[in-house]
Amino acid sequence: LNCAGMPKAGTTFTNTVKPAPAMDSHVANGDRCGKCFKTFLPEKGADDWYEVGDAFELNALVRFQVNPRPMPYKIRLTADIDLSPICNETLGGWMPIGVDSDSPFTGTFDGQGHTISHLYFDNSARVSAFFGYVKDADIRNVKFDGVTFTSNSSSSAVCLREAQGDSHIADVEITGDITATTGNFAGIANTVKGNTILERCVNRASFTNANNTNTTFSGIASYLEESGTIRDCMYLGNATMNSTTG
């Protein structure tokens, strides 16, 4: 089947019962598939939530809606998300949600307990984190599994770069392996500031410094500033490196 679920040219049909046929993968071209031209951009529901069920929808929503038109979006996942078709060594790194401090993410992101896997970061974005900058945001109930950093950012993190204002980050979990090269890395957040509350977060991942260069790693957060609060959080993983672990 092609990526639209239709039989390819030259397909033969029989009455023999066989396993379900394999389907081609979509190829992202802007906000739609470059092969079947399906649009990936999800529509806002009647309850004002954007529901996201795969990597192509999430990528399109971030790149063509959330980042260019900042407002308090409400996003929830409806399935586990494998980001490998969107960000990898060939396609480049993940584009963070809230890519700079002048236009932070100010909405709600509810993972509903789902897992985002195969995050990949390189130097194509100024920030290496799933969320870049957030302000007065609510981020909750999401898991991350398997992360690779090839960037040399001084302030990388798996979940978010910086939380400001009255943000609330809760029930975030990281598992699998985190592989990184040169730089400073954190599990949940690089910087927690303002009146942000970060709570009930767990990092179970194993961190490896891939090329044994000067690197720092913080299991939960690197910096706590102003009136920020971190509570009921744990780092239960292992860190292998030749520099500093916090």
Side-chain angles (χ1 to χ4, degrees):
L1 302 180
N2 62 24
C3 54
M6 301 299 292
K8 297 180 183 179
T11 299
T12 58
F13 299 89
T14 70
N15 292 324
T16 305
V17 177
K18 294 183 177 181
M23 184 181 296
D24 287 349
S25 297
H26 290 298
V27 176
N29 183 11
D31 64 352
R32 62 192 63 240
C33 177
K35 291 161 58 175
C36 71
F37 307 109
K38 172 189 175 182
T39 180
F40 297 133
L41 199 60
E43 294 185 1
K44 183 167 62 173
D47 58 357
D48 291 334
W49 284 84
Y50 288 90
E51 295 196 332
V52 175
D54 62 41
F56 296 99
E57 291 179 348
L58 182 58
N59 181 64
L61 185 62
V62 172
R63 287 179 177 267
F64 302 102
Q65 186 77 33
V66 175
N67 283 349
R69 304 177 182 87
M71 61 180 65
Y73 292 95
K74 295 194 291 185
I75 304 167
R76 61 186 169 213
L77 302 185
T78 59
D80 293 344
I81 306 290
D82 178 0
L83 288 178
S84 58
I86 293 300
C87 55
N88 54 51
E89 290 185 12
T90 302
L91 297 174
W94 169 253
M95 173 64 71
I97 302 173
V99 72
D100 58 56
S101 57
D102 292 331
S103 53
F105 178 72
T106 59
T108 300
F109 186 98
D110 187 354
Q112 297 197 119
H114 291 295
T115 299
I116 296 171
S117 59
H118 299 112
L119 263 173
Y120 177 85
F121 300 103
D122 59 13
N123 289 315
S124 59
R126 294 188 298 274
V127 177
S128 295
F130 183 76
F131 291 92
Y133 295 85
V134 305
K135 184 177 182 180
D136 303 329
D138 184 1
I139 299 167
R140 60 181 185 252
N141 301 324
V142 62
K143 300 177 182 177
F144 296 93
D145 182 74
V147 182
T148 300
F149 293 94
T150 61
S151 58
N152 55 9
S153 171
S154 62
S155 52
S156 302
V158 175
C159 183
L160 64 93
R161 162 64 176 88
E162 182 176 292
Q164 315 168 29
D166 294 317
S167 295
H168 183 219
I169 295 92
D171 302 300
V172 175
E173 182 176 353
I174 305 173
T175 58
D177 296 321
I178 302 173
T179 303
T181 52
T182 303
N184 301 312
F185 304 91
I188 306 298
N190 180 268
T191 304
V192 176
K193 62 191 302 185
N195 295 313
T196 295
I197 296 175
L198 192 157
E199 62 181 345
R200 301 190 305 275
C201 296
V202 181
N203 183 356
R204 306 178 190 276
S206 296
F207 177 86
T208 302
N209 178 207
N211 59 6
N212 291 319
T213 54
N214 291 329
T215 300
T216 61
F217 174 68
S218 303
I220 299 299
S222 296
Y223 303 99
L224 178 63
E225 301 178 5
E226 299 170 358
S227 300
T229 300
I230 299 175
R231 63 193 181 203
D232 301 325
C233 296
M234 295 183 292
Y235 176 57
L236 302 176
N238 297 301
T240 303
M241 55 200 302
N242 70 343
S243 188
T244 304
T245 305

